[in-house]
Amino acid sequence: MKIDLTYLVWDCENDQNKFLSDNIIYHSKKIGYGHPIKKALDSKNMIIKARQIIKEKEIDSIYAFNIDSAIVMAFSCLNKKDLFTIYDAADLPVMGKHFIDKGLRFFDRMISEKANVIFLGSRYFTSYYKNYKSKTIVIENRVTKNYKKNLYYSDVNARKKQVNKLIISFIGIVRYKDILINLFKATHKLPVLINIYGGGMDKVY
């Protein structure tokens, strides 16, 4: 069976070194990461582009990763009941009391209600999505046991000794340096091994 994939990428840094491909479409605007209001204001343009792609390429299924992409998916699919939608809730919507947080939780419930399938990034998320149990699939976002078994600590004083520590993996581009710094501060005296995978910081601090 042939599957045609099209990727719509929300490029918030207007990256000049983007990976170019015929099936990757970028919506680029330099608004930066960590600016929810700026991103919300730009979401209208992202939704317009998504609806255009759905129409031109006759899309029949949509996969949306995390809440911001899922909001775009929800508004792009209005009046298109034949689309099969997958909501990947890799992170829980923030739990604060700010009006933005409340808005995200509202959209999370709305999207979960309409999605055909919901992926959850942790078994601990299931209680938040218990009303949608019949369509949730848990895919744990964690290091596999086989990987942990073969992992060796690279410290000069313990080289090639098998690790018997709690392993924390920081995966992806480091967009918020404070989170990473706090992680190091909280664990530097504990038996914890931190693995960092990704392209490093997207800004120089």
Side-chain angles (χ1 to χ4, degrees):
M1 180 177 67
K2 182 181 178 182
I3 300 177
D4 293 322
L5 296 176
T6 298
Y7 302 87
L8 176 57
V9 180
W10 204 338
D11 171 25
C12 296
E13 287 289 353
N14 196 16
D15 186 3
Q16 300 302 311
N17 298 312
K18 293 189 283 285
F19 179 78
L20 300 179
S21 174
D22 291 339
N23 64 335
I24 300 178
I25 301 170
Y26 290 93
H27 171 65
S28 299
K29 189 170 183 180
K30 194 169 181 60
I31 58 177
Y33 294 97
H35 302 289
I37 295 179
K38 288 184 179 180
K39 197 166 189 180
L41 293 174
D42 187 49
S43 61
K44 176 183 176 182
N45 298 320
M46 183 69 165
I47 292 168
I48 292 172
K49 180 165 284 190
R51 291 180 66 87
Q52 180 183 355
I53 293 170
I54 292 171
K55 181 178 180 180
E56 290 180 355
K57 294 185 174 288
E58 299 181 347
I59 302 295
D60 53 27
S61 302
I62 299 179
Y63 164 83
F65 179 79
N66 258 340
I67 186 66
D68 49 358
S69 297
I71 291 172
V72 172
M73 175 181 72
F75 283 99
S76 302
C77 296
L78 293 176
N79 303 320
K80 297 182 184 298
K81 296 181 179 180
D82 55 335
L83 280 171
F84 187 89
T85 56
I86 302 170
Y87 172 29
D88 190 340
D91 297 315
L92 285 176
V94 281
M95 294 293 139
K97 296 182 179 180
H98 194 275
F99 76 94
I100 293 178
D101 303 332
K102 293 180 180 179
L104 290 176
R105 291 196 294 276
F106 167 79
F107 281 117
D108 176 71
R109 291 191 296 270
M110 181 189 77
I111 294 162
S112 299
E113 185 71 35
K114 295 183 178 298
N116 296 99
V117 176
I118 304 171
F119 289 156
L120 301 180
S122 170
R123 76 194 89 165
Y124 300 108
F125 293 179
T126 54
S127 61
Y128 295 95
Y129 294 88
K130 58 185 177 182
N131 293 335
Y132 317 106
K133 186 176 180 180
S134 62
K135 56 183 177 181
T136 57
I137 300 173
V138 176
I139 302 178
E140 293 278 5
N141 185 13
R142 62 177 178 172
V143 180
T144 64
K145 291 182 179 179
N146 289 336
Y147 176 77
K148 290 167 67 176
K149 184 187 296 185
N150 297 320
L151 187 66
Y152 290 89
Y153 190 36
S154 59
D155 185 274
V156 291
N157 297 319
R159 192 177 300 278
K160 293 186 179 180
K161 289 185 179 180
Q162 202 156 0
V163 172
N164 186 21
K165 298 184 176 184
L166 173 66
I167 299 173
I168 299 176
S169 296
F170 197 105
I171 303 173
I173 293 177
V174 180
R175 292 177 179 153
Y176 310 105
K177 67 169 184 176
D178 291 342
I179 295 176
L180 188 59
I181 291 171
N182 289 338
L183 179 61
F184 283 123
K185 286 181 177 179
T187 60
H188 77 286
K189 291 184 178 180
L190 300 175
V192 173
L193 175 63
I194 299 175
N195 293 323
I196 301 175
Y197 304 92
M201 291 190 179
D202 59 357
K203 292 182 179 179
V204 177
Y205 294 96

